Amino acid sequence: MSGETPNIAAVGAYAPRFRVDAAAFEEAWGKFHAAGVRSKAVPAADEDALTMAHEAATRALDAADRAGEDVAFLAVASTTPPLAEEDPTARLGGTLGLTESATRHVFTGSTRAGTRALDAALAAGPWDGVGLVVAADCPRGEPDSEEEHAAGAGAAAFVLADDGPAEVVQRAEFAAEYPGTRFRRRGADATEGLGVTSYDRQAFTETLSSAVDRLDFETVEAAAVQAPDGKLPYRAAGALGVGTDEIRAAATVHELGDTGAASVPLGLVTALADGHDRVLAAAFGSGAGADALLVGADEVPASLSLSGSESLSYAEYLRQRGELTSGPPSGGGAYVSVPSWRRTLDQRHRLVAGRCPDCRALDFPPEGACTDCNSLVEYDDAALPGTGTVEATTTISQGGAPPEFAEQQAQSGDFDVVVVAFDGPREGERATGGTSREDGDETASAPAQVTGADPGTLDIGDRVEATIRRIYTQEGVTRYGFKVRPVRGDDSG
């Protein structure tokens, strides 16, 4: 890479398929407190900030025609990381296939963390490879609060390279002392605010406009502005020197809700995917601080999945969030130690199968004797691409799940388990062993839970793809691994 600041080479975005609309909240509470929010995205029981970050990142890398091993710099931003103290870039980097020596940074504690991560990556380049910036968030609030009624979920990702078609031509920041506008107490899950409307509006408008004033521009086609609800960004339009149409062109809050640290990154990704060639990004974090970036772009490769396909009632919304479940059953489930789980991460995170050195057959997982020639061998690694065909399917109903999965089933309901014939490695070679769908197509079969689809919707012969989800939590440590879902395309085409 040259010595210049890297550009945006491709973008990706993801939001959960579940939606709950304003009417459901209004029916439950008599009023909906999130102005301008029509619906909001709801993470499934097996989703969190890390799994959404994986979704957005894989889409951005695919759009850039890059692999995880090409990433030299990873920055992750979230106000809701899975654990308050543990580096999420290690696990995320593992699921994406980054090298162990890739530089990694975490940004949290503020809704401007997404733009902080992007700014830091721009300053850190160039690298021998590409940069990857991911912002993923799923804030929560007290049940009858403005923060909770607005709280949504989503993730956005940027691949940075010297030859990218979008350039961050200017960037600026500003900070002023405005405590209490939005905060989360130590050890708490719920975001709060003092609810002093005029104070909040002043902090938001003054801090953001002061950062934007440090940029030199006359007009933009779209403005991605921090959106704690669907009204406040438009109130700040005049102070930011943009119109409401420009804010609407990049707004995701109306359909996804308040996505926290992912709010402005999602707006920027949406604007770039829609072909806008001059975009303002203005992020606000309570305390208060703001970032302003001006982006000039040609056509940017994009892969977005932001459409919601399933509406929830308010009770179903509470169940998905775990508010109506009683917790794991007494006695727990089958014990798997963290060291034992770690030894299988190549298979669970990266779908690394084994190739028999004697007969060249594939085995997944690569354990014991070769299923083709029965040789006891040391397998060669063979990474599967993550796509495959359903060979068998069954539905696990309430009470039928092993104890370690019972709490997640209480949240999500019935789920399917399938046997998948995973496609063989894309290496241009043909194995002499293994199962074949047709001549020349080697496969490796393995069971997998289904996610992202209602029970009973997958049939034998359907095509599926692997993704990363929460499996279960034991000893306070969440186990992540692959599940499969129906192959689906991008919202953006």
Side-chain angles (χ1 to χ4, degrees):
M1 180 178 282
S2 68
E4 298 179 355
T5 300
N7 289 350
I8 298 172
V11 295
Y14 171 81
R17 68 186 178 114
F18 290 124
R19 296 289 189 274
V20 61
D21 61 29
F25 269 78
E26 190 167 0
E27 182 179 352
W29 290 101
K31 184 179 180 180
F32 185 56
H33 297 301
V37 176
R38 293 186 288 269
S39 67
K40 61 178 194 168
V42 182
D46 59 358
E47 292 188 293
D48 60 17
L50 190 146
T51 66
M52 292 191 297
H54 174 87
E55 291 274 8
T58 54
R59 289 181 174 277
L61 288 169
D62 287 346
D65 195 23
R66 294 282 194 163
E69 62 189 17
D70 298 324
V71 177
F73 181 97
L74 172 65
V76 177
S78 179
T79 67
T80 56
L83 291 172
E85 183 178 335
E86 186 182 85
D87 185 350
T89 65
R91 291 218 232 186
L92 179 60
T95 67
L96 296 173
L98 270 65
T99 65
E100 294 178 347
S101 60
T103 301
R104 307 165 197 235
H105 291 283
V106 180
F107 296 80
T108 189
S110 171
T111 54
R112 69 187 281 223
T115 50
R116 287 282 78 205
L118 183 55
D119 185 84
L122 293 169
W127 317 278
D128 184 16
V130 299
L132 177 63
V133 177
V134 193
D137 229 344
C138 44
R140 300 173 73 144
E142 296 295 343
D144 191 24
S145 66
E146 294 179 4
E147 290 81 13
E148 169 62 15
H149 286 212
F158 305 83
V159 174
L160 305 180
D162 61 344
D163 56 353
E167 180 184 2
V168 180
V169 293
Q170 296 180 54
R171 59 188 199 266
E173 61 180 288
F174 182 84
E177 293 179 271
Y178 277 98
T181 55
R182 178 185 179 115
F183 56 92
R184 182 156 56 90
R185 305 182 196 209
R186 185 180 297 276
D189 291 329
T191 298
E192 304 175 56
L194 298 178
V196 183
T197 303
S198 59
Y199 178 76
D200 291 348
R201 190 179 302 162
Q202 180 180 344
F204 186 85
T205 303
E206 178 188 323
T207 311
L208 273 178
S209 62
S210 296
V212 172
D213 284 346
R214 299 187 174 198
L215 304 180
D216 182 17
F217 71 94
E218 293 183 1
T219 61
V220 293
E221 291 187 358
V225 180
Q226 192 75 43
D229 58 33
K231 188 175 182 179
L232 193 55
Y234 298 96
R235 286 186 173 275
L240 300 179
V242 299
T244 56
D245 288 344
E246 287 77 19
I247 292 177
R248 190 171 293 108
T252 62
V253 65
H254 307 301
E255 306 301 331
L256 302 184
D258 172 17
T259 51
S263 173
V264 172
L266 274 167
L268 178 55
V269 163
T270 300
L272 294 175
D274 286 344
H276 296 296
D277 60 16
R278 196 164 179 81
V279 184
L280 171 67
F284 171 83
S286 59
D291 295 309
L293 299 90
L294 188 63
V295 182
D298 291 325
E299 186 173 345
V300 179
S303 175
L304 278 57
S305 178
L306 297 177
S307 294
S309 61
E310 187 166 339
S311 296
L312 302 177
S313 67
Y314 186 73
E316 290 169 330
Y317 164 74
L318 292 179
R319 192 184 74 179
Q320 288 290 340
R321 287 162 45 93
E323 301 285 359
L324 302 182
T325 60
S326 57
S330 59
Y335 176 71
V336 180
S337 70
V338 172
S340 295
W341 187 273
R342 183 184 183 278
R343 285 193 289 270
T344 64
L345 291 185
D346 277 346
Q347 288 75 52
R348 297 183 187 275
H349 288 180
R350 296 174 283 279
L351 272 77
V352 178
R355 190 182 292 284
C356 175
D358 290 347
C359 71
R360 305 300 291 162
L362 286 174
D363 273 288
F364 185 77
E367 298 172 347
C370 172
T371 55
D372 232 45
C373 69
N374 296 318
S375 296
L376 284 171
V377 296
E378 183 174 342
Y379 290 97
D380 298 326
D381 287 346
L384 305 178
T387 53
T389 303
V390 175
E391 294 184 312
T393 177
T394 188
T395 298
I396 306 298
S397 298
Q398 195 72 24
E404 60 266 32
F405 300 106
E407 183 177 14
Q408 190 175 111
Q409 186 183 58
Q411 292 179 239
S412 63
D414 295 354
F415 62 88
D416 283 350
V417 174
V418 296
V419 176
V420 180
F422 282 107
D423 301 334
R426 296 167 180 161
E427 299 175 333
E429 67 168 310
R430 179 186 173 190
T432 56
T435 306
S436 293
R437 294 195 309 279
E438 59 187 53
D439 188 39
D441 284 339
E442 59 176 339
T443 63
S445 295
Q449 284 189 33
V450 176
T451 190
D454 292 332
T457 57
L458 281 177
D459 294 321
I460 294 173
D462 286 347
R463 294 288 289 169
V464 292
E465 61 187 5
T467 187
I468 295 296
R469 288 289 188 269
R470 294 165 60 99
I471 305 299
Y472 61 84
T473 298
Q474 200 169 69
E475 299 178 310
V477 179
T478 298
R479 273 71 161 167
Y480 294 88
F482 76 87
K483 295 184 181 182
V484 297
R485 64 179 176 213
V487 172
R488 58 183 180 178
D490 302 336
D491 298 346
S492 59

